[in-house]
Amino acid sequence: MSGLRCLGVLLCYNDGDLLEESIGYLLEQSHDLIAWDHGSTDETPAILERVRPHLREIRRVPREFDFYELYPAMSRHLIENYIREYDWISWPDQDEFLEGPARDRSYYEYVLEAHESGIDWIQFHNFNFWCTDEDDPAAPRATQRVRHYSLWPDCPPRIRSWRARATNIRHFNHNPLDGTPSPRLFNLRHYPMRSPSQMRARVLRDRAGLRRGNLNFQYENMARRLDSLQIPAAALHFDDGASELDPEPVFNWREIYGRAPEMD
């Protein structure tokens, strides 16, 4: 089968410095695209308007809408409006870039292979990319500037890609779907922290008010140790953009994110 009909999904909030790259990457991977903006106050709305001709749908969601209900709401929207039109759904977080299990082929080519082999959903390795003391501030793109990373092996499951008809109600894309999972984990590049100024804004403003019950442990933990969040480049691997990503977890991300009370 050729010409797989793929739909990319983005939930956006104040990651405008990365948004055009995120959109461009999914378009390059032969995906149509829908984007919901959860009340961004940066350049995100202007960027979405500028690329509107390339997107199937743009929706502005008020910031007052509960963040923890966004994934279920988008899931229902996909089930009601899109899954009969498409073969495959790719739903990264806005600061993630999906790859196959190796770099010898494109993500789209690996998805096509997965679809043809009867796979229904795919879990991803989370390669965390982080700003360091060796980043080049003159690099025009965030992914060109932020090149150091390490695998986060014990993070919650990253399930970001699946057969359209298998779509269920998603919970941060951690919960499995019905059907056959890929026997191999694919890879994703995650760019949560891209510069010292963006890192401070993310921790102190953009994510500061998020609560699940009384918890916001990750960002509260980071807010208490802002001065130590910029990781030395020597503590991470370097991505040259061509070599395979190194799966050795050389950095302990729990030093940054902390640990949820239920995980202790």
Side-chain angles (χ1 to χ4, degrees), residues 7 9 78 86-91 160-164 167:
L7 180 65
V9 178
L78 294 175
Y86 288 92
D87 303 305
W88 201 268
I89 304 290
S90 296
W91 186 346
R160 303 296 198 245
S161 184
W162 56 84
R163 194 177 297 269
T167 304

Side-chain angles (χ1 to χ4, degrees), residues 73-229:
M74 176 63 84
S75 303
R76 290 188 288 270
H77 184 63
L78 294 175
I79 292 168
E80 292 169 5
N81 297 284
Y82 286 105
I83 63 171
R84 286 166 290 280
E85 186 178 349
Y86 288 92
D87 303 305
W88 201 268
I89 304 290
S90 296
W91 186 346
D93 284 355
Q94 191 199 311
D95 55 3
E96 296 175 345
F97 294 78
L98 306 182
E99 298 188 0
R103 284 179 160 175
D104 59 331
R105 282 176 280 162
S106 70
Y107 169 67
Y108 173 79
E109 290 172 308
Y110 269 110
V111 164
L112 178 61
E113 178 184 74
H115 184 271
E116 291 179 339
S117 67
I119 287 170
D120 293 298
W121 55 275
I122 299 167
Q123 184 173 330
F124 288 74
H125 289 295
N126 182 11
F127 288 94
N128 242 15
F129 282 67
W130 205 269
C131 57
T132 74
D133 53 339
E134 292 186 6
D135 294 352
D136 178 6
R141 297 182 179 181
T143 57
Q144 293 175 337
R145 181 178 68 252
V146 183
R147 307 293 292 275
H148 293 86
Y149 71 93
S150 180
L151 178 68
W152 184 0
D154 64 340
C155 65
R158 260 54 178 177
I159 298 172
R160 303 296 198 245
S161 184
W162 56 84
R163 194 177 297 269
R165 69 178 186 228
T167 304
N168 60 3
I169 301 302
R170 308 303 300 144
H171 302 288
F172 303 101
N173 289 334
H174 298 328
N175 53 309
L177 301 96
D178 289 338
T180 304
S182 171
R184 292 186 293 177
L185 270 65
F186 283 35
N187 298 328
L188 65 79
R189 292 178 283 119
H190 182 203
Y191 294 83
M193 303 301 186
R194 303 179 291 275
S195 71
S197 60
Q198 178 266 337
M199 179 166 54
R200 292 183 67 87
R202 188 181 184 103
V203 172
L204 298 179
R205 182 194 66 199
D206 295 342
R207 303 298 191 270
L210 294 181
R211 290 289 186 277
R212 179 181 286 181
N214 294 320
L215 295 179
N216 185 13
F217 76 93
Q218 290 186 347
Y219 291 102
E220 289 173 350
N221 184 68
M222 286 189 272
R224 288 192 292 267
R225 54 191 308 274
L226 272 175
D227 292 340
S228 59
L229 291 187

